[in-house]
Amino acid sequence: RQTRTTCPDLGIETLVGDFKGSPTDLQIVIDAAPDILAHNVETVRRMHPAVRPQADYDRSIRVLADIKQGGLLAKTSLMVGIGERDDEIVATMADIRAQADTDILTIGQYLQPTRNHLPVDRWVEPATFAHWKKVGLDLGFTVVESGPLVRSSYHAESQAQRVADGGDR
């Protein structure tokens, strides 16, 4: 709220965790009215226990739904190459759209941050990323960034503008 007061013309994108399912905590951020509010699902349902043991797949989808129901642009990200199958990525994208009506999706290659983290399972081909972008747009996402170097903040300002301009379709 203070940032909005101090810099009223500044575009604000905020990335939040799932607040352990607390709707009250999430509502504080929604009430602050960032232009885009992001919560990253990160991976497919099957991989959640290994990739995000502190999180819950369904809870993440609920957070995205609450963001959208709060009147904000909702954004999420997936990382691939960590052990998921292509059909699971498509199913996750469909869950995010059908259950949470999320506006912006980014998909990027998982990179093992330390040897204590899960290893890279596969290097996803650029053509597969292009396919997922098309699938995402067909599912109704307004903006989809999909590529090996894409991260959740990838071209954030451009994404906001593309949403304002009607999206990637």
Side-chain angles (χ1 to χ4, degrees):
R1 286 188 295 259
Q2 185 62 43
T3 300
R4 184 69 75 205
T5 300
T6 304
C7 304
D9 297 327
L10 181 69
I12 300 172
E13 178 176 320
T14 305
L15 174 63
V16 298
D18 65 9
F19 297 106
K20 297 183 181 176
S22 169
T24 303
D25 292 346
L26 178 59
Q27 192 62 48
I28 290 168
V29 182
I30 291 171
D31 290 345
D35 298 293
I36 298 173
L37 185 51
H39 171 69
N40 293 341
V41 172
E42 299 285 2
T43 192
V44 301
R45 180 185 297 278
R46 179 179 58 83
M47 296 296 299
H48 242 79
V51 176
R52 300 182 73 211
Q54 76 288 1
D56 177 79
Y57 180 87
D58 293 312
R59 188 168 65 207
S60 286
I61 300 290
R62 279 194 307 276
V63 166
L64 289 167
D66 289 345
I67 290 168
K68 188 66 178 180
Q69 289 169 2
L72 300 177
L73 287 175
K75 177 179 176 179
T76 195
S77 296
L78 299 173
M79 56 185 175
V80 296
I82 198 166
E84 75 292 325
R85 297 182 316 268
D86 290 356
D87 64 302
E88 291 175 305
I89 291 293
V90 172
T92 300
M93 293 165 64
D95 285 349
I96 293 166
R97 278 298 301 155
Q99 298 175 39
D101 195 26
T102 302
D103 304 287
I104 302 170
L105 172 67
T106 66
I107 306 172
Q109 173 69 50
Y110 170 72
L111 300 173
Q112 184 180 16
T114 73
R115 68 183 115 163
N116 296 326
H117 288 82
L118 293 171
V120 172
D121 178 72
R122 67 175 170 151
W123 297 105
V124 177
E125 296 292 326
T128 303
F129 282 108
H131 169 72
W132 287 331
K133 178 172 183 154
K134 181 183 181 320
V135 169
L137 293 172
D138 290 347
L139 286 169
F141 288 96
T142 306
V143 169
V144 178
E145 299 280 6
S146 182
L149 301 179
V150 170
R151 297 294 174 259
S152 61
S153 60
Y154 187 84
H155 295 167
E157 185 176 357
S158 165
Q159 292 169 10
Q161 185 59 55
R162 286 167 27 220
V163 167
D165 293 341
D168 288 344
R169 292 172 217 174

